[in-house]
Amino acid sequence: LVSGNLSNTINLTKTAGNTYSTVSAIPAQTDGVAVYYKIEATDDSSDVAITSVLSYVVNDETTNTIFFEDFETSTADAPISINNWMRYEEAGTKTWEGRLYNSNKYAQFSAYNSGETSNISWLITPAIDLTDYAIADFSFISKDGFNNGEVLTVLISTNYSGTGNPALSTWNNLNPVLASGTSSGYATNFTESGVIDISSYCGNTIFIAYKYVGGDPSKTTTMQIDNISLNGTIAT
């Protein structure tokens, strides 16, 4: 369609409040076509108002949930061992565990009472295949408790093998928003990470890692993570 050819008319009927509906519809168009339209309204005094020409582009791309984890199948107070997730203790013996609070399960790590000056622990997603995707984004939520230092980074890799020491692979920081600063008790609510664009990694198989670096007694902050979601649009 072109902006100068607005010959078709669709009549709208007021149904409730300021809502209008129609039994007609704009004819189906192919992907990428620009549809132009304008709206004409007549009030009870027969005064007419007409908008400028507006438009939208038809887009038949569908966003898919590629990966999601809410840790509901984990075992409370036991090491995370679900859905091909990987744990690796780079230093110290403590590990990421499942936790349950208010009927919600999540993953948690804390160096508190470890008795070890260094606790470095990785929690890594299964391999996530972005080969066929053109657009992808990532998000999760986090909560901290008894915070005495920032301990968590969230990383992404395209060359981790899926086994062994992840420190030997290349990882890039995703820089999410993390729960921070709750020094007395636990945060009241989880913090949204924000939607993180990882489209530059499309075409690859990726791993996302939660890396905790702390130690008793210097940094023993408790970190909890949940609702990890990765969405994408398939390349056309």
Side-chain angles (χ1 to χ4, degrees):
L1 300 182
V2 295
S3 60
N5 182 22
L6 301 178
S7 58
N8 298 318
T9 300
I10 295 175
N11 294 317
L12 302 176
T13 302
K14 189 173 183 179
T15 54
N18 293 318
T19 301
Y20 291 79
S21 64
T22 180
V23 296
S24 303
I26 296 174
Q29 305 294 324
T30 58
D31 185 41
V33 167
V35 176
Y36 295 89
Y37 65 99
K38 59 184 177 181
I39 299 172
E40 178 179 314
T42 303
D43 65 17
D44 293 337
S45 300
S46 297
D47 293 326
V48 178
I50 304 175
T51 68
S52 59
V53 175
L54 307 171
S55 68
Y56 66 89
V57 176
V58 176
N59 186 345
D60 63 7
E61 294 179 336
T62 301
T63 299
N64 301 318
T65 298
I66 305 168
F67 178 84
F68 181 78
E69 182 62 71
D70 59 7
F71 299 102
E72 290 302 316
T73 60
S74 65
T75 300
D77 303 316
I80 296 291
S81 181
I82 56 169
N83 304 333
N84 296 315
W85 279 79
M86 290 153 279
R87 294 176 289 106
Y88 188 86
E89 281 62 67
E90 187 179 337
T93 57
K94 293 199 72 173
T95 191
W96 286 89
E97 296 183 340
R99 285 288 189 271
L100 173 66
Y101 181 72
N102 279 349
S103 301
N104 177 57
K105 287 183 179 178
Y106 47 85
Q108 174 176 300
F109 192 97
S110 175
Y112 179 68
N113 271 349
S114 71
E116 299 166 321
T117 57
S118 181
N119 289 106
I120 303 175
S121 183
W122 298 68
L123 181 64
I124 307 170
T125 66
I128 301 172
D129 187 0
L130 299 183
T131 302
D132 295 329
Y133 287 85
I135 301 171
D137 60 58
F138 164 68
S139 64
F140 64 98
I141 55 176
S142 65
K143 184 191 287 188
D144 65 339
F146 300 97
N147 192 311
N148 67 345
E150 303 310 312
V151 292
L152 189 67
T153 53
V154 183
L155 310 163
I156 187 169
S157 177
T158 59
N159 67 354
Y160 180 53
S161 66
T163 60
N165 186 354
L168 301 178
S169 300
T170 302
W171 296 87
N172 296 316
N173 196 333
L174 289 176
N175 296 308
V177 176
L178 294 170
S180 175
T182 309
S183 59
S184 178
Y186 290 91
T188 303
N189 299 303
F190 279 87
T191 295
E192 300 280 351
S193 67
V195 177
I196 303 159
D197 184 7
I198 55 171
S199 299
S200 61
Y201 296 92
C202 287
N204 298 284
T205 296
I206 66 164
F207 295 85
I208 293 174
Y210 293 84
K211 181 183 179 182
Y212 182 104
V213 179
D216 187 12
S218 60
K219 289 185 179 181
T220 58
T221 301
T222 298
M223 291 301 305
Q224 301 167 351
I225 58 171
D226 202 3
N227 293 356
I228 297 162
S229 181
L230 200 155
N231 302 297
T233 301
I234 294 176
T236 57

